[in-house]
Amino acid sequence: MSYKRILTIQDISCVGQCSLTVALPILSACGLETAILPSAVLSNHTAGFTGFTFRDLTDDMPDIEKQWEKENLKFEAVYTGYLGSTKQIDYVESIMKTSTLPGALKIVDPAMADGGKLYPTFDMEYVEAMKKLVFDADITLPNITEACFLTGMEYKEEYDEAYIDELLQKMTDAGAKTVVLTGVSFAKGKTGVMVLDNGKKEYYEHDKIAKGCHGTGDVYASAFVGALMEGKSAYEAAKIAADYTVMCIQYTQGDPDHWYGVKFEPLLGDLIQMIK
Ligand code: PXL
């Protein structure tokens, strides 16, 4: 079995089962040496708690990058999620150049919006900066809201396949390579993922279990990256990640105290089985 070293850059939400507290265990369970670069430290995520603390770690990044350069530390892939600031995006772009091995994969989850709205810490300046990162990446995993912000297309709750095709076309025109568009639903009670890879479009549909479960975007993206790095194609990885995320939502459902994230840890063994 290959043993790969990946870097993931996203926030530490101390409580809330999202970003690094999800990515690190999932990527490690998939067999990857996982280095982390925290973009910010929050007391908890920003969706649904009464407030949150936020320590931006942007200014630490250039020194971390210099130190890694001095040690000649290089990664076979970089996977980014929720970032701390607009300025940070420039630093992340630089790290993607200086800290990668030749042929390293750049995987960008824009992680900035959902349900037609930006998350509370972001504005349009951030969206503009994020465009560079997304359209320069090898693979990006936006949800429909994020793809709309990135392309300027109108966000719709109800749509048909022509709308999704236009969204994918606009992403491609702007420079996107492989696009894994999440939360694409054509039928009541169903949702799925549309994968555009090497000009080929494939859709994987599954049951829609609950509305807007927190942290599932990060569970999905992390499982996708884990499966991809273990040699699956983008479509296979998208399917595995969808099946795993659905299992996690099902496992969490019915526990009203667990509204802030999904119980993904007890099902890591199932994810590993799906990948092997
Ligand atoms: O899951 C995305 C995410 C990551 N990090 C923080 C968030 C969110 C979503 O709200 O608030 C801090």
Side-chain angles (χ1 to χ4, degrees), residues 113-176:
D114 204 3
K117 284 195 262 179
L118 287 175
Y119 295 147
T121 51
F122 300 129
D123 56 18
M124 289 311 289
E125 199 192 332
Y126 183 86
V127 173
E128 278 309 307
M130 181 52 79
K131 285 183 188 175
K132 271 200 314 202
L133 206 57
V134 164
F135 298 130
D136 194 36
D138 299 294
I139 303 180
T140 185
L141 299 103
N143 58 35
I144 293 181
T145 303
E146 288 158 348
C148 285
F149 274 109
L150 291 164
T151 59
M153 242 175 93
E154 187 197 349
Y155 173 76
K156 290 186 182 168
E157 289 279 341
E158 298 204 351
Y159 47 80
D160 55 14
E161 199 165 344
Y163 172 80
I164 297 299
D165 286 347
E166 194 182 338
L167 200 49
L168 288 174
Q169 189 58 52
K170 287 208 154 81
M171 289 286 295
T172 307
D173 290 347

Short mmCIF file of all heavy atoms in Angstrom, two decimals, residues 113-176:
data_model
loop_
_atom_site.label_atom_id
_atom_site.label_comp_id
_atom_site.label_asym_id
_atom_site.label_seq_id
_atom_site.Cartn_x
_atom_site.Cartn_y
_atom_site.Cartn_z
N ALA A 113 -20.22 29.02 1.77
CA ALA A 113 -21.63 29.39 1.66
C ALA A 113 -22.51 28.14 1.59
O ALA A 113 -22.04 27.05 1.27
CB ALA A 113 -21.84 30.21 0.38
N ASP A 114 -23.77 28.33 1.89
CA ASP A 114 -24.76 27.25 1.74
C ASP A 114 -26.16 27.87 1.78
O ASP A 114 -26.33 28.97 2.29
CB ASP A 114 -24.60 26.21 2.87
CG ASP A 114 -25.13 24.83 2.47
OD1 ASP A 114 -25.57 24.66 1.31
OD2 ASP A 114 -25.11 23.92 3.31
N GLY A 115 -27.12 27.17 1.24
CA GLY A 115 -28.51 27.62 1.29
C GLY A 115 -28.71 29.02 0.70
O GLY A 115 -29.56 29.77 1.16
N GLY A 116 -27.89 29.38 -0.31
CA GLY A 116 -28.04 30.68 -0.96
C GLY A 116 -27.30 31.82 -0.26
O GLY A 116 -27.31 32.94 -0.75
N LYS A 117 -26.65 31.52 0.86
CA LYS A 117 -26.01 32.61 1.64
C LYS A 117 -24.55 32.31 1.99
O LYS A 117 -24.20 31.15 2.21
CB LYS A 117 -26.75 32.79 2.97
CG LYS A 117 -28.08 33.52 2.82
CD LYS A 117 -28.56 33.99 4.18
CE LYS A 117 -29.52 33.13 4.75
NZ LYS A 117 -30.31 32.61 5.48
N LEU A 118 -23.75 33.38 2.08
CA LEU A 118 -22.37 33.23 2.56
C LEU A 118 -22.39 32.95 4.06
O LEU A 118 -23.29 33.43 4.76
CB LEU A 118 -21.58 34.52 2.32
CG LEU A 118 -21.18 34.87 0.89
CD1 LEU A 118 -20.51 36.24 0.85
CD2 LEU A 118 -20.22 33.82 0.30
N TYR A 119 -21.41 32.21 4.57
CA TYR A 119 -21.26 32.05 6.02
C TYR A 119 -20.93 33.42 6.62
O TYR A 119 -20.39 34.30 5.93
CB TYR A 119 -20.12 31.05 6.34
CG TYR A 119 -20.36 29.63 5.88
CD1 TYR A 119 -19.30 28.82 5.48
CD2 TYR A 119 -21.64 29.07 5.87
CE1 TYR A 119 -19.49 27.50 5.07
CE2 TYR A 119 -21.84 27.75 5.46
CZ TYR A 119 -20.77 26.98 5.06
OH TYR A 119 -20.96 25.69 4.66
N PRO A 120 -21.24 33.62 7.93
CA PRO A 120 -21.15 34.95 8.53
C PRO A 120 -19.78 35.64 8.42
O PRO A 120 -19.72 36.86 8.41
CB PRO A 120 -21.48 34.70 10.01
CG PRO A 120 -22.14 33.39 10.07
CD PRO A 120 -21.75 32.61 8.87
N THR A 121 -18.68 34.90 8.36
CA THR A 121 -17.36 35.55 8.37
C THR A 121 -16.89 36.01 6.98
O THR A 121 -15.80 36.55 6.85
CB THR A 121 -16.29 34.60 8.97
OG1 THR A 121 -16.40 33.34 8.29
CG2 THR A 121 -16.51 34.37 10.45
N PHE A 122 -17.68 35.77 5.93
CA PHE A 122 -17.21 36.06 4.57
C PHE A 122 -18.00 37.17 3.88
O PHE A 122 -19.15 37.43 4.21
CB PHE A 122 -17.27 34.79 3.72
CG PHE A 122 -16.41 33.67 4.27
CD1 PHE A 122 -16.93 32.39 4.45
CD2 PHE A 122 -15.09 33.90 4.61
CE1 PHE A 122 -16.15 31.37 4.98
CE2 PHE A 122 -14.30 32.88 5.13
CZ PHE A 122 -14.83 31.61 5.31
N ASP A 123 -17.32 37.82 2.89
CA ASP A 123 -17.97 38.85 2.08
C ASP A 123 -17.57 38.66 0.62
O ASP A 123 -16.84 37.71 0.28
CB ASP A 123 -17.57 40.25 2.58
CG ASP A 123 -16.04 40.44 2.60
OD1 ASP A 123 -15.34 39.65 1.92
OD2 ASP A 123 -15.55 41.34 3.29
N MET A 124 -18.00 39.58 -0.25
CA MET A 124 -17.75 39.40 -1.68
C MET A 124 -16.26 39.53 -2.04
O MET A 124 -15.82 38.97 -3.04
CB MET A 124 -18.60 40.39 -2.51
CG MET A 124 -20.07 40.05 -2.52
SD MET A 124 -20.45 38.31 -2.90
CE MET A 124 -20.05 38.22 -4.64
N GLU A 125 -15.52 40.24 -1.23
CA GLU A 125 -14.07 40.32 -1.47
C GLU A 125 -13.45 38.92 -1.30
O GLU A 125 -12.56 38.52 -2.06
CB GLU A 125 -13.48 41.30 -0.44
CG GLU A 125 -12.13 41.84 -0.84
CD GLU A 125 -11.47 42.56 0.33
OE1 GLU A 125 -12.16 43.09 1.21
OE2 GLU A 125 -10.22 42.55 0.35
N TYR A 126 -13.95 38.20 -0.30
CA TYR A 126 -13.46 36.83 -0.07
C TYR A 126 -13.83 35.94 -1.27
O TYR A 126 -13.02 35.15 -1.74
CB TYR A 126 -14.06 36.28 1.23
CG TYR A 126 -13.56 34.89 1.59
CD1 TYR A 126 -12.38 34.72 2.30
CD2 TYR A 126 -14.26 33.75 1.20
CE1 TYR A 126 -11.91 33.46 2.62
CE2 TYR A 126 -13.80 32.48 1.53
CZ TYR A 126 -12.63 32.34 2.24
OH TYR A 126 -12.16 31.09 2.54
N VAL A 127 -15.05 36.12 -1.76
CA VAL A 127 -15.50 35.32 -2.92
C VAL A 127 -14.57 35.57 -4.10
O VAL A 127 -14.14 34.63 -4.78
CB VAL A 127 -16.97 35.66 -3.30
CG1 VAL A 127 -17.38 34.97 -4.59
CG2 VAL A 127 -17.93 35.31 -2.16
N GLU A 128 -14.24 36.84 -4.34
CA GLU A 128 -13.36 37.18 -5.46
C GLU A 128 -12.01 36.48 -5.31
O GLU A 128 -11.46 35.93 -6.25
CB GLU A 128 -13.14 38.70 -5.53
CG GLU A 128 -14.26 39.45 -6.24
CD GLU A 128 -14.61 38.86 -7.60
OE1 GLU A 128 -13.70 38.69 -8.43
OE2 GLU A 128 -15.80 38.54 -7.83
N ALA A 129 -11.46 36.52 -4.09
CA ALA A 129 -10.16 35.90 -3.85
C ALA A 129 -10.26 34.38 -3.99
O ALA A 129 -9.35 33.73 -4.53
CB ALA A 129 -9.65 36.28 -2.46
N MET A 130 -11.37 33.82 -3.54
CA MET A 130 -11.56 32.36 -3.61
C MET A 130 -11.61 31.86 -5.06
O MET A 130 -11.20 30.74 -5.36
CB MET A 130 -12.84 31.97 -2.84
CG MET A 130 -13.15 30.49 -2.81
SD MET A 130 -11.80 29.43 -2.25
CE MET A 130 -11.86 29.64 -0.48
N LYS A 131 -12.09 32.74 -5.96
CA LYS A 131 -12.16 32.34 -7.37
C LYS A 131 -10.80 31.88 -7.89
O LYS A 131 -10.69 30.88 -8.59
CB LYS A 131 -12.67 33.52 -8.23
CG LYS A 131 -14.15 33.78 -8.10
CD LYS A 131 -14.57 34.90 -9.02
CE LYS A 131 -16.01 35.28 -8.73
NZ LYS A 131 -16.45 36.45 -9.50
N LYS A 132 -9.76 32.64 -7.53
CA LYS A 132 -8.41 32.30 -8.01
C LYS A 132 -8.00 30.89 -7.56
O LYS A 132 -7.48 30.11 -8.33
CB LYS A 132 -7.39 33.30 -7.44
CG LYS A 132 -7.20 34.51 -8.30
CD LYS A 132 -5.88 35.25 -8.02
CE LYS A 132 -5.59 35.45 -6.59
NZ LYS A 132 -4.79 36.36 -5.98
N LEU A 133 -8.29 30.62 -6.28
CA LEU A 133 -7.89 29.32 -5.71
C LEU A 133 -8.67 28.18 -6.37
O LEU A 133 -8.11 27.15 -6.75
CB LEU A 133 -8.18 29.35 -4.19
CG LEU A 133 -7.37 28.46 -3.28
CD1 LEU A 133 -5.88 28.74 -3.43
CD2 LEU A 133 -7.79 28.69 -1.82
N VAL A 134 -9.96 28.38 -6.53
CA VAL A 134 -10.84 27.34 -7.10
C VAL A 134 -10.47 27.07 -8.56
O VAL A 134 -10.36 25.91 -8.97
CB VAL A 134 -12.32 27.78 -6.99
CG1 VAL A 134 -13.21 26.95 -7.90
CG2 VAL A 134 -12.80 27.69 -5.55
N PHE A 135 -10.28 28.14 -9.33
CA PHE A 135 -10.08 27.92 -10.76
C PHE A 135 -8.65 27.52 -11.10
O PHE A 135 -8.36 27.14 -12.23
CB PHE A 135 -10.56 29.16 -11.55
CG PHE A 135 -12.04 29.39 -11.36
CD1 PHE A 135 -12.55 30.63 -11.01
CD2 PHE A 135 -12.94 28.33 -11.50
CE1 PHE A 135 -13.91 30.83 -10.80
CE2 PHE A 135 -14.31 28.51 -11.30
CZ PHE A 135 -14.80 29.76 -10.94
N ASP A 136 -7.80 27.56 -10.10
CA ASP A 136 -6.43 27.10 -10.29
C ASP A 136 -6.26 25.65 -9.80
O ASP A 136 -5.23 25.03 -10.02
CB ASP A 136 -5.51 28.05 -9.51
CG ASP A 136 -4.07 27.87 -9.93
OD1 ASP A 136 -3.83 27.64 -11.12
OD2 ASP A 136 -3.18 27.92 -9.05
N ALA A 137 -7.28 25.15 -9.09
CA ALA A 137 -7.18 23.81 -8.48
C ALA A 137 -7.36 22.70 -9.52
O ALA A 137 -7.91 22.93 -10.60
CB ALA A 137 -8.24 23.67 -7.39
N ASP A 138 -6.91 21.49 -9.17
CA ASP A 138 -7.17 20.33 -10.04
C ASP A 138 -8.59 19.85 -9.84
O ASP A 138 -9.24 19.38 -10.77
CB ASP A 138 -6.20 19.19 -9.70
CG ASP A 138 -4.76 19.62 -9.92
OD1 ASP A 138 -4.41 19.84 -11.09
OD2 ASP A 138 -4.01 19.76 -8.94
N ILE A 139 -9.05 19.91 -8.60
CA ILE A 139 -10.39 19.44 -8.27
C ILE A 139 -11.03 20.43 -7.32
O ILE A 139 -10.39 20.88 -6.36
CB ILE A 139 -10.34 18.04 -7.59
CG1 ILE A 139 -9.62 17.04 -8.49
CG2 ILE A 139 -11.74 17.55 -7.22
CD1 ILE A 139 -9.51 15.64 -7.92
N THR A 140 -12.29 20.76 -7.56
CA THR A 140 -13.00 21.60 -6.61
C THR A 140 -14.35 20.96 -6.26
O THR A 140 -14.94 20.26 -7.09
CB THR A 140 -13.18 23.04 -7.15
OG1 THR A 140 -13.78 23.83 -6.13
CG2 THR A 140 -14.01 23.10 -8.41
N LEU A 141 -14.78 21.19 -5.02
CA LEU A 141 -16.02 20.56 -4.55
C LEU A 141 -17.00 21.61 -4.02
O LEU A 141 -17.21 21.70 -2.81
CB LEU A 141 -15.73 19.57 -3.41
CG LEU A 141 -14.83 18.39 -3.67
CD1 LEU A 141 -13.45 18.62 -3.09
CD2 LEU A 141 -15.40 17.14 -3.05
N PRO A 142 -17.58 22.41 -4.90
CA PRO A 142 -18.53 23.41 -4.40
C PRO A 142 -19.92 22.79 -4.23
O PRO A 142 -20.26 21.82 -4.91
CB PRO A 142 -18.56 24.44 -5.54
CG PRO A 142 -18.29 23.63 -6.77
CD PRO A 142 -17.40 22.50 -6.36
N ASN A 143 -20.72 23.38 -3.33
CA ASN A 143 -22.15 23.08 -3.39
C ASN A 143 -22.77 24.07 -4.39
O ASN A 143 -22.05 24.91 -4.96
CB ASN A 143 -22.78 23.15 -1.99
CG ASN A 143 -22.59 24.51 -1.33
OD1 ASN A 143 -22.60 25.53 -2.01
ND2 ASN A 143 -22.39 24.53 -0.02
N ILE A 144 -24.06 23.98 -4.61
CA ILE A 144 -24.68 24.83 -5.65
C ILE A 144 -24.54 26.32 -5.27
O ILE A 144 -24.23 27.15 -6.14
CB ILE A 144 -26.15 24.43 -5.88
CG1 ILE A 144 -26.19 23.03 -6.49
CG2 ILE A 144 -26.87 25.44 -6.77
CD1 ILE A 144 -27.57 22.51 -6.80
N THR A 145 -24.73 26.63 -4.00
CA THR A 145 -24.60 28.04 -3.57
C THR A 145 -23.21 28.57 -3.90
O THR A 145 -23.05 29.66 -4.45
CB THR A 145 -24.84 28.16 -2.04
OG1 THR A 145 -26.11 27.62 -1.73
CG2 THR A 145 -24.76 29.59 -1.59
N GLU A 146 -22.20 27.78 -3.55
CA GLU A 146 -20.82 28.23 -3.79
C GLU A 146 -20.54 28.37 -5.28
O GLU A 146 -19.90 29.34 -5.71
CB GLU A 146 -19.84 27.26 -3.12
CG GLU A 146 -19.87 27.38 -1.61
CD GLU A 146 -19.37 26.16 -0.85
OE1 GLU A 146 -19.19 25.08 -1.47
OE2 GLU A 146 -19.20 26.27 0.37
N ALA A 147 -21.02 27.41 -6.08
CA ALA A 147 -20.81 27.50 -7.53
C ALA A 147 -21.49 28.76 -8.08
O ALA A 147 -20.96 29.40 -9.00
CB ALA A 147 -21.34 26.23 -8.21
N CYS A 148 -22.64 29.12 -7.53
CA CYS A 148 -23.32 30.35 -7.97
C CYS A 148 -22.49 31.58 -7.63
O CYS A 148 -22.30 32.47 -8.46
CB CYS A 148 -24.71 30.45 -7.35
SG CYS A 148 -25.89 29.31 -8.12
N PHE A 149 -21.99 31.65 -6.39
CA PHE A 149 -21.15 32.80 -6.02
C PHE A 149 -19.90 32.86 -6.91
O PHE A 149 -19.46 33.93 -7.30
CB PHE A 149 -20.73 32.71 -4.54
CG PHE A 149 -21.74 33.31 -3.60
CD1 PHE A 149 -22.50 32.50 -2.77
CD2 PHE A 149 -21.96 34.68 -3.56
CE1 PHE A 149 -23.44 33.04 -1.89
CE2 PHE A 149 -22.89 35.24 -2.69
CZ PHE A 149 -23.63 34.42 -1.85
N LEU A 150 -19.35 31.71 -7.24
CA LEU A 150 -18.10 31.68 -8.02
C LEU A 150 -18.31 32.06 -9.48
O LEU A 150 -17.38 32.52 -10.14
CB LEU A 150 -17.47 30.28 -7.93
CG LEU A 150 -16.91 29.88 -6.56
CD1 LEU A 150 -16.68 28.37 -6.47
CD2 LEU A 150 -15.60 30.64 -6.27
N THR A 151 -19.52 31.85 -9.99
CA THR A 151 -19.77 32.09 -11.41
C THR A 151 -20.69 33.27 -11.67
O THR A 151 -20.89 33.65 -12.82
CB THR A 151 -20.43 30.85 -12.06
OG1 THR A 151 -21.65 30.59 -11.34
CG2 THR A 151 -19.53 29.63 -12.02
N GLY A 152 -21.30 33.80 -10.62
CA GLY A 152 -22.26 34.90 -10.79
C GLY A 152 -23.63 34.43 -11.25
O GLY A 152 -24.48 35.24 -11.60
N MET A 153 -23.86 33.12 -11.24
CA MET A 153 -25.19 32.64 -11.64
C MET A 153 -26.18 32.80 -10.51
O MET A 153 -25.81 32.75 -9.34
CB MET A 153 -25.11 31.16 -12.06
CG MET A 153 -25.52 31.00 -13.52
SD MET A 153 -25.32 29.35 -14.11
CE MET A 153 -26.93 28.66 -13.81
N GLU A 154 -27.46 32.98 -10.88
CA GLU A 154 -28.49 33.15 -9.86
C GLU A 154 -28.70 31.84 -9.11
O GLU A 154 -28.78 30.77 -9.73
CB GLU A 154 -29.80 33.56 -10.58
CG GLU A 154 -30.91 33.92 -9.63
CD GLU A 154 -32.28 33.93 -10.33
OE1 GLU A 154 -32.31 33.85 -11.58
OE2 GLU A 154 -33.29 33.97 -9.63
N TYR A 155 -28.81 31.93 -7.77
CA TYR A 155 -29.06 30.72 -6.97
C TYR A 155 -30.54 30.37 -7.01
O TYR A 155 -31.39 31.22 -6.84
CB TYR A 155 -28.63 30.98 -5.51
CG TYR A 155 -29.02 29.84 -4.58
CD1 TYR A 155 -28.29 28.65 -4.58
CD2 TYR A 155 -30.11 29.96 -3.72
CE1 TYR A 155 -28.66 27.60 -3.73
CE2 TYR A 155 -30.48 28.92 -2.88
CZ TYR A 155 -29.75 27.74 -2.88
OH TYR A 155 -30.10 26.71 -2.06
N LYS A 156 -30.82 29.10 -7.27
CA LYS A 156 -32.21 28.65 -7.29
C LYS A 156 -32.38 27.45 -6.37
O LYS A 156 -31.53 26.58 -6.32
CB LYS A 156 -32.60 28.24 -8.71
CG LYS A 156 -32.69 29.39 -9.68
CD LYS A 156 -33.24 28.92 -11.01
CE LYS A 156 -33.30 30.07 -11.99
NZ LYS A 156 -33.54 29.59 -13.36
N GLU A 157 -33.51 27.42 -5.69
CA GLU A 157 -33.84 26.26 -4.85
C GLU A 157 -34.37 25.13 -5.73
O GLU A 157 -34.17 23.95 -5.44
CB GLU A 157 -34.92 26.63 -3.82
CG GLU A 157 -34.44 27.56 -2.71
CD GLU A 157 -33.72 26.84 -1.59
OE1 GLU A 157 -33.87 25.61 -1.46
OE2 GLU A 157 -32.96 27.53 -0.86
N GLU A 158 -35.09 25.53 -6.77
CA GLU A 158 -35.64 24.52 -7.69
C GLU A 158 -35.05 24.74 -9.06
O GLU A 158 -34.98 25.88 -9.53
CB GLU A 158 -37.17 24.66 -7.73
CG GLU A 158 -37.73 24.40 -6.35
CD GLU A 158 -39.17 23.93 -6.37
OE1 GLU A 158 -39.80 23.97 -7.44
OE2 GLU A 158 -39.63 23.55 -5.30
N TYR A 159 -34.66 23.67 -9.69
CA TYR A 159 -33.97 23.80 -10.97
C TYR A 159 -34.07 22.49 -11.73
O TYR A 159 -34.55 21.48 -11.20
CB TYR A 159 -32.48 24.16 -10.72
CG TYR A 159 -31.86 23.28 -9.65
CD1 TYR A 159 -31.41 21.99 -9.93
CD2 TYR A 159 -31.76 23.72 -8.33
CE1 TYR A 159 -30.87 21.17 -8.95
CE2 TYR A 159 -31.22 22.90 -7.34
CZ TYR A 159 -30.79 21.64 -7.66
OH TYR A 159 -30.28 20.82 -6.69
N ASP A 160 -33.59 22.52 -12.98
CA ASP A 160 -33.57 21.29 -13.78
C ASP A 160 -32.13 21.00 -14.21
O ASP A 160 -31.21 21.74 -13.84
CB ASP A 160 -34.51 21.42 -14.98
CG ASP A 160 -34.16 22.65 -15.81
OD1 ASP A 160 -33.06 23.22 -15.60
OD2 ASP A 160 -34.97 23.06 -16.65
N GLU A 161 -31.97 19.96 -15.03
CA GLU A 161 -30.60 19.57 -15.41
C GLU A 161 -29.92 20.65 -16.25
O GLU A 161 -28.70 20.81 -16.18
CB GLU A 161 -30.61 18.22 -16.14
CG GLU A 161 -29.23 17.60 -16.10
CD GLU A 161 -29.18 16.12 -16.46
OE1 GLU A 161 -30.24 15.46 -16.45
OE2 GLU A 161 -28.07 15.67 -16.76
N ALA A 162 -30.73 21.40 -17.04
CA ALA A 162 -30.14 22.45 -17.88
C ALA A 162 -29.46 23.52 -17.01
O ALA A 162 -28.40 24.06 -17.38
CB ALA A 162 -31.23 23.09 -18.75
N TYR A 163 -30.06 23.82 -15.86
CA TYR A 163 -29.48 24.81 -14.93
C TYR A 163 -28.12 24.30 -14.40
O TYR A 163 -27.13 25.04 -14.36
CB TYR A 163 -30.46 25.03 -13.79
CG TYR A 163 -29.96 25.88 -12.64
CD1 TYR A 163 -29.94 27.27 -12.71
CD2 TYR A 163 -29.52 25.28 -11.46
CE1 TYR A 163 -29.49 28.04 -11.65
CE2 TYR A 163 -29.08 26.04 -10.38
CZ TYR A 163 -29.06 27.42 -10.48
OH TYR A 163 -28.62 28.17 -9.41
N ILE A 164 -28.09 23.01 -14.04
CA ILE A 164 -26.84 22.42 -13.53
C ILE A 164 -25.78 22.40 -14.63
O ILE A 164 -24.60 22.71 -14.39
CB ILE A 164 -27.10 20.99 -12.98
CG1 ILE A 164 -28.07 21.05 -11.79
CG2 ILE A 164 -25.81 20.27 -12.60
CD1 ILE A 164 -27.58 21.87 -10.59
N ASP A 165 -26.20 22.07 -15.85
CA ASP A 165 -25.26 22.06 -16.98
C ASP A 165 -24.66 23.45 -17.19
O ASP A 165 -23.46 23.59 -17.45
CB ASP A 165 -25.96 21.61 -18.26
CG ASP A 165 -26.22 20.11 -18.25
OD1 ASP A 165 -25.65 19.41 -17.39
OD2 ASP A 165 -27.02 19.64 -19.09
N GLU A 166 -25.51 24.48 -17.09
CA GLU A 166 -25.03 25.86 -17.29
C GLU A 166 -24.04 26.24 -16.18
O GLU A 166 -23.00 26.85 -16.46
CB GLU A 166 -26.23 26.81 -17.29
CG GLU A 166 -25.87 28.18 -17.83
CD GLU A 166 -27.04 29.15 -17.79
OE1 GLU A 166 -28.21 28.71 -17.76
OE2 GLU A 166 -26.76 30.38 -17.77
N LEU A 167 -24.37 25.81 -14.97
CA LEU A 167 -23.48 26.10 -13.83
C LEU A 167 -22.11 25.43 -14.05
O LEU A 167 -21.06 26.05 -13.86
CB LEU A 167 -24.15 25.56 -12.56
CG LEU A 167 -23.74 26.08 -11.19
CD1 LEU A 167 -23.69 27.60 -11.14
CD2 LEU A 167 -24.70 25.56 -10.12
N LEU A 168 -22.13 24.17 -14.49
CA LEU A 168 -20.87 23.45 -14.73
C LEU A 168 -20.10 24.09 -15.88
O LEU A 168 -18.87 24.21 -15.83
CB LEU A 168 -21.16 21.97 -15.05
CG LEU A 168 -21.62 21.11 -13.87
CD1 LEU A 168 -22.01 19.72 -14.34
CD2 LEU A 168 -20.54 21.02 -12.79
N GLN A 169 -20.84 24.51 -16.91
CA GLN A 169 -20.20 25.15 -18.06
C GLN A 169 -19.50 26.44 -17.64
O GLN A 169 -18.37 26.72 -18.02
CB GLN A 169 -21.24 25.42 -19.16
CG GLN A 169 -20.64 25.88 -20.49
CD GLN A 169 -19.65 24.87 -21.07
OE1 GLN A 169 -19.99 23.69 -21.21
NE2 GLN A 169 -18.43 25.30 -21.39
N LYS A 170 -20.20 27.22 -16.80
CA LYS A 170 -19.63 28.49 -16.33
C LYS A 170 -18.39 28.23 -15.46
O LYS A 170 -17.42 28.99 -15.52
CB LYS A 170 -20.67 29.29 -15.55
CG LYS A 170 -21.75 29.90 -16.45
CD LYS A 170 -22.32 31.17 -15.81
CE LYS A 170 -22.88 32.13 -16.82
NZ LYS A 170 -24.20 31.84 -17.30
N MET A 171 -18.45 27.17 -14.66
CA MET A 171 -17.28 26.82 -13.84
C MET A 171 -16.11 26.47 -14.77
O MET A 171 -14.99 26.92 -14.56
CB MET A 171 -17.59 25.60 -12.95
CG MET A 171 -18.55 25.85 -11.80
SD MET A 171 -17.85 26.80 -10.42
CE MET A 171 -16.58 25.72 -9.79
N THR A 172 -16.40 25.66 -15.79
CA THR A 172 -15.35 25.23 -16.72
C THR A 172 -14.79 26.43 -17.49
O THR A 172 -13.58 26.57 -17.65
CB THR A 172 -15.92 24.19 -17.71
OG1 THR A 172 -16.54 23.16 -16.94
CG2 THR A 172 -14.86 23.58 -18.58
N ASP A 173 -15.69 27.30 -17.96
CA ASP A 173 -15.25 28.49 -18.71
C ASP A 173 -14.31 29.35 -17.86
O ASP A 173 -13.39 29.98 -18.39
CB ASP A 173 -16.45 29.35 -19.12
CG ASP A 173 -17.29 28.65 -20.19
OD1 ASP A 173 -16.82 27.65 -20.78
OD2 ASP A 173 -18.44 29.10 -20.44
N ALA A 174 -14.57 29.37 -16.56
CA ALA A 174 -13.74 30.20 -15.67
C ALA A 174 -12.41 29.51 -15.34
O ALA A 174 -11.56 30.11 -14.69
CB ALA A 174 -14.51 30.52 -14.40
N GLY A 175 -12.26 28.25 -15.73
CA GLY A 175 -10.97 27.58 -15.53
C GLY A 175 -11.02 26.33 -14.69
O GLY A 175 -9.99 25.67 -14.50
N ALA A 176 -12.20 25.99 -14.14
CA ALA A 176 -12.28 24.80 -13.28
C ALA A 176 -11.93 23.55 -14.08
O ALA A 176 -12.31 23.43 -15.24
CB ALA A 176 -13.67 24.66 -12.67
#
